[in-house]
Amino acid sequence: MTTGPGMRAAIYVRLSRDTDESTSPERQRAACEALCDARGWEVVAVEEDIDVSGFSRGLERPGLQRILARLADLDVVVFFKIDRLARSTVDFAEIMKIAETQSVALASAQEPLDLTSSMGRAMARVIAVFAELESDTIGSRVANAHEHLRREGRWTGGRVPYGYRAVPNPNGAGRVLEVNPDEEKVIHEIVDRVLAKESLMKIATDLTRAGVAAPGHHSRQPNGKRSDSERWYTTTLRSLLTNPQLLGYVIEDGKPILRTDGLPLVTRPPILDMRTWHALQDELSRRADRSERRRVGTSLLRGVLFCSVCGGRMYTYVAGGRTRYRCIGRLKQRQAGQAVGCYGPSVAGKALEEHVVSEFLRGNGHLPVVKIEMRAAEDFTPQIRQAEEALKDLEADRYERGLFKGEDGAQRYAAQYAKLEERLSSLKAMQSDAVPGGVEEIPTGKTYAELWEESDTAGKRDLLLNAGTFVEVAPAQRPGKKLDTSRVSVYFGVEGSIRRAEAEGKDPDSVITGADRADLS
C-alpha cells in the first residue's frame, strides 16, 4: 500500500449523538478534508453514521458498510480518530484486515499514525485498546451516576413514564417525577374498565376516539425520548398496566431496583395501591390464558351445555343461516380410534338459550350477586432471602474483601449490619403473622336479573357459570320445529356444579367441600 498524491479517498464520519460540538459531523469532515488536501488525495466518497453507536452496532453500520462494499474503488479511508471508526479492538482489527486484503490504507486525521507500516498498525491497535478502555470507563461512570440519581429520587432522563411528569427538584438540583393528575385519572379509568371485564381492544379504541394522548404522543413528551405513537393499542395498554412503575418503583433494565433490605426502591408517589395492582395482574393473567381467550365472543351456553349420551360439551355451528348446538363426541371418538357410541345430537340454539335464560332468571333473578375475590396470601420469604444474602455480602465485604478498614469503617459496618439484622428480624416476624390466602365475598348491590341486563354475552355466561348452571341435552324423540323442553335438563347451584365437575372429569368432592364451607359461614 502506498499513500502518495492522487489517491482516491473515502471520508467516514460517525457520531453517536449529534450533541457534542467538539466532534460534530462538520468538524470531523472538515479535518478529514484538510488531511486529503494536504496529501493531495481526491475525495470520491463521504459516508456518515449519525446517531449510531460504534460499540453496540459493531461493524453493522450503514455508512461503514457502504464504504467496505466499494473498497475496490478506493485507495485510502480517512476518519477523524480511531474511536470514530471502531469502538472495540476486535472491530478495528477486523476493519484493518478487510482493508489490507483490498490494498486500501487507513488514515486518521487527528492521530499521527502511518498505518501502511507494521509498526504503525501495531501502534494503531494500542490506541484502539485505550479507546475501548475509555469507552468502557465512560459507560461505567454514566451507569454509576444514574444509579446514584435514581436512589436519590431524581429523574435520569429518557422517556417519562405514563402517569408522571418531570418537574424541577424542590429539594435541590436536577428534576424529579411527580404524578400527572390528568394521566392518573386515565389510568384509574382504564384499570376500572379492565377489572369490569371490558376488552383491551374496546378500551384502546375508545381512548383513541376520545383523543386521549397515548404514552408516545408528542403532546405529553416535552422532555426525553418518545415513540411518536399517537394511537392506543392493546399492546400499549398491556405494557402500561404491567409496568411496576405504577407502584412508584424505580426501574432499571426492566426490573425494580432493590434496597439493601431487599425491598423495591420507591422514590415517587404510587398511582395504584398494592391490592388493585394484584387484582389487575390476576385479570391480565387470566386473559393471557388461551382457554380464557377462547371464551370471549363465543356462544352463551359454551361450558354450560353438555350431551347426555357421551357427557361431552356441545358447541355451536350454523346451518341454514341459524345457529345450533351439537355434540362432537362422535368426531372425537373417531379421531381417537375408539368405538363410536354417540351420534352427535343437536338442538336449535336460539330456542334453547331462551329456555335456559328463562329458567335461570326464574330461579335466580331475585337473588343478590356476590363478587368473589381471591385474597392473595402474604409471603415475605423472598424479602427474607434477599436480606440474608445482603448480610452475607456485607460480611464478605469486611472479612474477605478487606473493606470497612479503620475505626470509621468498623462503625459504618456495625451500623449497616445492625440495620440489616433489624430488617431481617422484622421480616421474620411479619412472616410468622402473615395472613393466609382465601376467598372474600363482596356484595355488588345488584340482583342477577339487574346484572344480566347490563352484561354482554361473555358476562352473561360468567353469571351462568358462577350460579352453577349445568344443562344437559338428550337426543330428540320426535322431529319438530319447536324445542322439546322434555329433552333439556337444567340444574343450578351445588347440584349443577357437581354435575359439571363430573362431566369435565374433575373431583366433585371439592365442590361439595366448598358448599359445606359456604353453609357454615
Side-chain angles (χ1 to χ4, degrees):
M1 295 181 291
T2 60
T3 57
M7 294 180 63
R8 298 164 297 175
I11 294 176
Y12 176 69
V13 174
R14 184 188 68 79
L15 197 63
S16 294
R17 292 185 179 179
D18 192 8
T19 56
D20 189 352
E21 294 296 333
S22 63
T23 56
S24 65
E26 293 76 14
R27 178 182 172 88
Q28 293 184 43
R29 182 168 179 169
C32 293
E33 289 176 344
L35 177 65
C36 292
D37 289 341
R39 300 285 181 89
W41 297 338
E42 177 188 1
V43 178
V44 297
V46 177
E47 297 291 350
E48 295 183 348
D49 281 321
I50 305 301
D51 200 18
V52 176
S53 170
F55 184 78
S56 61
R57 296 289 293 273
L59 303 185
E60 299 301 321
R61 291 170 260 156
L64 178 61
Q65 286 297 319
R66 287 192 292 269
I67 286 182
L68 296 180
R70 58 177 301 183
L71 287 179
D73 302 325
L74 302 174
D75 297 309
V76 61
V77 176
V78 184
F79 43 88
F80 185 68
K81 292 176 67 177
I82 287 179
D83 64 356
R84 298 299 89 197
L85 184 65
R87 269 299 194 183
S88 74
T89 309
V90 174
D91 288 344
F92 182 70
E94 182 65 19
I95 293 174
M96 286 185 60
K97 181 179 179 181
I98 295 173
E100 287 176 359
T101 59
Q102 296 288 333
S103 298
V104 175
L106 301 177
S108 171
Q110 292 291 301
E111 296 149 339
L113 296 173
D114 180 9
L115 302 182
T116 61
S117 66
S118 299
M119 182 60 70
R121 289 192 292 273
M123 288 299 298
R125 288 190 177 94
V126 172
I127 293 177
V129 170
F130 281 99
E132 181 179 4
L133 177 61
E134 180 185 10
S135 175
D136 292 342
T137 303
I138 292 174
S140 178
R141 287 201 301 266
V142 171
N144 290 337
H146 282 188
E147 173 76 8
H148 175 70
L149 292 177
R150 290 190 188 99
R151 293 192 178 277
E152 282 193 339
R154 291 163 60 184
W155 181 50
T156 59
R159 185 178 301 172
V160 179
Y162 192 84
Y164 293 92
R165 60 189 177 191
V167 297
N169 183 7
N171 300 319
R175 299 170 71 82
V176 296
L177 295 182
E178 70 173 14
V179 174
N180 184 324
D182 295 334
E183 294 180 356
E184 180 187 27
K185 183 178 179 181
V186 173
I187 291 174
H188 282 292
E189 177 187 347
I190 294 172
V191 172
D192 290 342
R193 295 179 65 177
V194 171
L195 295 179
K197 310 297 184 183
E198 288 194 46
S199 70
L200 295 183
M201 178 67 74
K202 186 177 187 306
I203 297 174
T205 302
D206 291 346
L207 290 173
T208 301
R209 287 178 179 174
V212 178
H217 196 282
H218 63 84
S219 65
R220 65 164 303 273
Q221 295 290 350
N223 298 293
K225 300 178 181 178
R226 56 185 175 87
S227 64
D228 291 324
S229 175
E230 299 189 356
R231 293 179 58 86
W232 288 87
Y233 301 93
T234 56
T235 52
T236 308
L237 288 173
R238 189 170 287 277
S239 176
L240 168 65
L241 298 177
T242 56
N243 193 336
Q245 290 187 107
L246 295 178
L247 295 171
Y249 292 178
V250 182
I251 306 300
E252 182 180 14
D253 296 331
K255 297 180 180 180
I257 295 179
L258 301 179
R259 305 183 317 201
T260 55
D261 58 8
L263 296 178
L265 177 65
V266 179
T267 60
R268 60 186 71 119
I271 294 177
L272 298 180
D273 60 80
M274 189 62 68
R275 180 172 182 174
T276 303
W277 169 262
H278 285 308
L280 177 63
Q281 302 315 305
D282 290 343
E283 173 62 21
L284 294 175
S285 298
R286 183 191 68 81
R287 298 185 185 202
D289 187 347
R290 291 185 178 181
S291 62
E292 291 291 337
R293 289 202 303 268
R294 285 196 295 268
R295 294 178 58 234
V296 178
T298 58
S299 56
L300 176 65
L301 300 182
R302 181 168 183 173
V304 175
L305 189 61
F306 291 81
C307 171
S308 67
V309 179
C310 66
R313 287 187 178 185
M314 299 182 71
Y315 300 88
T316 55
Y317 73 103
V318 178
R322 297 182 179 180
T323 301
R324 295 183 65 86
Y325 287 90
R326 67 177 174 185
C327 174
I328 61 173
R330 182 179 183 179
L331 176 61
K332 290 184 176 180
Q333 291 169 352
R334 183 177 299 171
Q335 289 177 340
Q338 301 173 352
V340 178
C342 180
Y343 65 88
S346 67
V347 62
K350 182 178 180 181
L352 177 63
E353 290 177 353
E354 290 177 349
H355 174 66
V356 173
V357 171
S358 175
E359 292 292 306
F360 171 74
L361 294 178
R362 183 172 62 85
N364 301 277
H366 64 286
L367 299 176
V369 178
V370 178
K371 182 179 179 182
I372 304 298
E373 283 192 0
M374 296 297 297
R375 183 179 63 246
E378 292 182 337
D379 184 14
F380 301 97
T381 305
Q383 292 93 323
I384 291 175
R385 180 175 177 180
Q386 290 169 341
E388 291 174 341
E389 291 176 350
L391 274 173
K392 291 180 181 178
D393 288 340
L394 188 63
E395 292 174 349
D397 283 343
R398 175 163 192 190
Y399 298 110
E400 296 179 16
R401 303 183 183 100
L403 304 181
F404 298 101
K405 296 180 179 179
E407 184 177 349
D408 291 343
Q411 293 176 353
R412 292 197 306 272
Y413 171 78
Q416 291 187 31
Y417 198 91
K419 181 179 179 181
L420 278 174
E421 273 196 324
E422 181 181 358
R423 178 58 185 165
L424 181 59
S425 176
S426 174
L427 286 170
K428 289 183 177 179
M430 293 166 64
Q431 181 65 28
S432 63
D433 298 330
V435 178
V439 176
E440 184 177 359
E441 297 183 356
I442 303 175
T444 63
K446 297 181 180 180
T447 63
Y448 274 99
E450 292 172 337
L451 201 56
W452 184 272
E453 292 299 324
E454 300 174 0
S455 303
D456 57 9
T457 301
K460 291 177 178 178
R461 186 172 56 251
D462 285 338
L463 287 176
L464 291 174
L465 292 170
N466 291 336
T469 309
F470 176 83
V471 181
E472 194 173 58
V473 176
Q477 299 298 322
R478 57 184 182 273
K481 293 184 178 180
K482 291 185 177 181
L483 173 68
D484 180 9
T485 56
S486 65
R487 59 184 292 220
V488 180
S489 302
V490 184
Y491 304 92
F492 301 108
V494 177
E495 183 178 3
S497 298
I498 292 175
R499 289 178 178 270
R500 190 167 70 232
E502 291 176 338
E504 294 176 343
K506 298 179 181 178
D507 183 13
D509 289 340
S510 59
V511 177
I512 298 173
T513 302
D516 291 340
R517 289 176 179 172
D519 290 340
L520 289 173
S521 63

